[in-house]
């Protein structure tokens, strides 16, 4: 069992950091994720729920960040203590602990809590790179709460991060350097796949990959239902459906071929597959999926204006 690291001392005891005066802004140092001969970036998480926990586990297990370079805080302390005991990360007692420790802070709290967390970070007198995964919270809002010179990156992750298959996009603000953006890209890349985009595109990312897992779960459920209706048991039908979706997705990613081309390869003239594809077209599946992405994108834009 790994013993947790608990912050119960003054800042001067944390990795040799000297105490910092309140409101004193520190210059950002160049950060690198774990690399031989280099000082690794220290990553802090405000919020230690399911998504943050998955990210922390991925960073530590992939050796992207050593456990002693990760700290977390949460309003529900048992969440943090559990991660500290499991992984050996540092358990922070407050958001200020995280701000004083970390070079990069991930905001993994509910959107309505972000403003208060930003106030704690700003009040610490530090200048970390702030990465927000809070849905609907814009870069403009984050800059307003942290200060116009704050380095901010907005990220839209998705739940497959929980199994090491993150599909995400991120948008840095103007204050971020190329190195800052690369650091965030490397951090997210350790958890799956991430693309750098303009902030305006994050609503579409939300509608596609952010909400997409729910669409896929619904499709898997429908495939399974079809199998049961055709006479299969539920466990066999669900396993076949899930493995089929996983295998098809892997083929798209590994072959680089257009999905339509792969579809054509298994639809022989007058065969069973083209008959099934025809039924899907009659049911409007393609339009329904496109409309789902557009509806979720529109809702994301609405939430961002509130």
């Amino acid at each position: 069992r790994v013993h947790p690291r608990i912050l119960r001392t003054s800042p001067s005891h944390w990795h040799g950091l000297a105490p910092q005066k309140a409101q004193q802004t520190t210059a950002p140092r160049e950060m690198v994720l774990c690399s031989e001969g280099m000082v690794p970036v220290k990553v802090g998480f405000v919020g230690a729920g399911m998504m943050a926990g998955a990210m922390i586990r991925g960073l530590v297990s992939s050796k992207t960040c050593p456990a002693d370079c990760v700290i977390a805080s949460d309003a529900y302390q048992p969440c943090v203590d559990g991660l500290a005991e499991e992984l050996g990360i540092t358990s922070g007692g407050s958001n200020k602990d995280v701000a004083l420790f970390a070079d990069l802070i991930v905001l993994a709290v509910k959107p309505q809590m972000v403003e208060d967390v930003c106030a704690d970070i700003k009040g610490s007198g530090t200048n970390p790179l702030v990465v927000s995964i809070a849905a609907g919270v814009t870069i403009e809002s984050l800059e307003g709460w942290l200060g116009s010179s704050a380095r901010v990156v907005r990220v839209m992750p998705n739940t497959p991060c929980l199994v090491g298959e993150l599909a995400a996009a991120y948008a840095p603000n103007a204050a971020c350097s190329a190195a800052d953006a690369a650091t965030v890209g490397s951090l997210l890349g350790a958890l799956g796949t991430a693309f750098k985009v303009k902030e305006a595109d994050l609503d579409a990312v939300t509608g596609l990959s952010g909400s997409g897992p729910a669409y896929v779960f619904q499709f898997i459920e429908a495939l399974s239902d079809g199998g049961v209706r055709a006479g299969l048991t539920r466990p066999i039908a669900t396993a076949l459906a899930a493995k089929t979706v996983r295998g098809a997705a892997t083929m798209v990613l590994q072959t680089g071929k257009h999905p339509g081309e792969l579809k054509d390869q298994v639809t022989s003239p007058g065969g069973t597959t083209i008959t099934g594809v025809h039924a899907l077209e009659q049911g409007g599946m393609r339009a329904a999926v496109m409309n789902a992405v557009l509806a979720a994108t529109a809702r994301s834009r609405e939430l961002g204006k509130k």
Side-chain angles (χ1 to χ4, degrees):
R1 175 175 292 182
V2 180
H3 294 289
R5 296 164 47 82
I6 312 293
L7 287 182
R8 303 192 188 282
T9 55
S10 67
S12 60
H13 295 275
W14 308 340
H15 289 265
L17 291 178
Q20 298 184 26
K21 297 179 181 179
Q23 304 302 324
Q24 179 181 351
T25 301
T26 58
R29 68 177 177 84
E30 184 174 353
M31 299 181 293
V32 293
L33 295 174
C34 193
S35 179
E36 186 176 354
M38 301 293 287
V39 178
V41 57
K42 289 177 287 186
V43 179
F45 285 80
V46 177
M50 288 184 61
M51 184 67 74
M55 293 178 73
I56 293 169
R57 290 185 183 91
L59 292 174
V60 173
S61 64
S62 67
K63 303 188 186 310
T64 302
C65 290
D68 62 359
C69 287
V70 180
I71 186 174
S73 66
D74 194 278
Y76 184 61
Q77 191 62 32
C79 277
V80 184
D81 292 342
L83 288 169
E85 185 172 0
E86 174 189 349
L87 302 170
I89 69 167
T90 300
S91 174
S94 68
N95 299 337
K96 186 176 181 180
D97 288 342
V98 174
L100 290 169
F101 178 98
D103 303 304
L104 181 155
I105 297 177
V106 179
L107 304 184
V109 297
K110 295 183 183 300
Q112 62 268 27
M113 299 172 61
V114 173
E115 183 175 1
D116 289 340
V117 173
C118 287
D120 290 338
I121 294 173
K122 186 175 182 180
S124 71
T126 60
N127 185 26
L129 175 59
V130 176
V131 177
S132 172
I133 64 172
V137 180
T138 65
I139 287 177
E140 182 180 11
S141 294
L142 292 166
E143 290 173 338
W145 299 327
L146 290 166
S148 59
S149 63
R151 296 172 298 142
V152 172
V153 180
R154 186 179 166 195
V155 176
M156 173 46 62
N158 67 358
T159 55
C161 175
L162 299 173
V163 292
E165 291 291 346
L166 175 72
Y170 63 100
N173 72 345
C176 286
S177 65
D180 291 333
T183 296
V184 174
S186 296
L187 183 148
L188 296 173
L191 308 172
T193 301
F195 298 93
K196 181 181 175 184
V197 301
K198 298 176 294 184
E199 185 184 20
D201 291 335
L202 286 179
D203 292 314
V205 172
T206 301
L208 176 56
S209 58
S211 302
Y215 315 153
V216 177
F217 295 146
Q218 196 167 13
F219 180 66
I220 291 172
E221 182 184 30
L223 276 180
S224 178
D225 285 345
V228 171
R229 178 66 180 84
L232 297 175
T233 64
R234 176 63 72 183
I236 290 177
T238 299
L240 286 173
K243 287 289 288 184
T244 296
V245 169
R246 179 180 179 180
T250 301
M251 288 181 68
V252 171
L253 294 172
Q254 290 189 357
T255 66
K257 293 181 178 179
H258 190 282
E261 181 182 354
L262 293 172
K263 177 205 67 180
D264 288 346
Q265 290 176 359
V266 293
T267 51
S268 56
T272 58
T273 304
I274 191 61
T275 302
V277 169
H278 183 206
L280 288 175
E281 293 291 357
Q282 287 180 315
M285 187 200 77
R286 190 187 300 262
V289 173
M290 293 173 67
N291 287 337
V293 173
L294 294 176
T297 298
R299 181 56 178 159
S300 177
R301 291 195 179 107
E302 291 174 4
L303 293 174
K305 294 176 182 178
K306 292 184 177 180

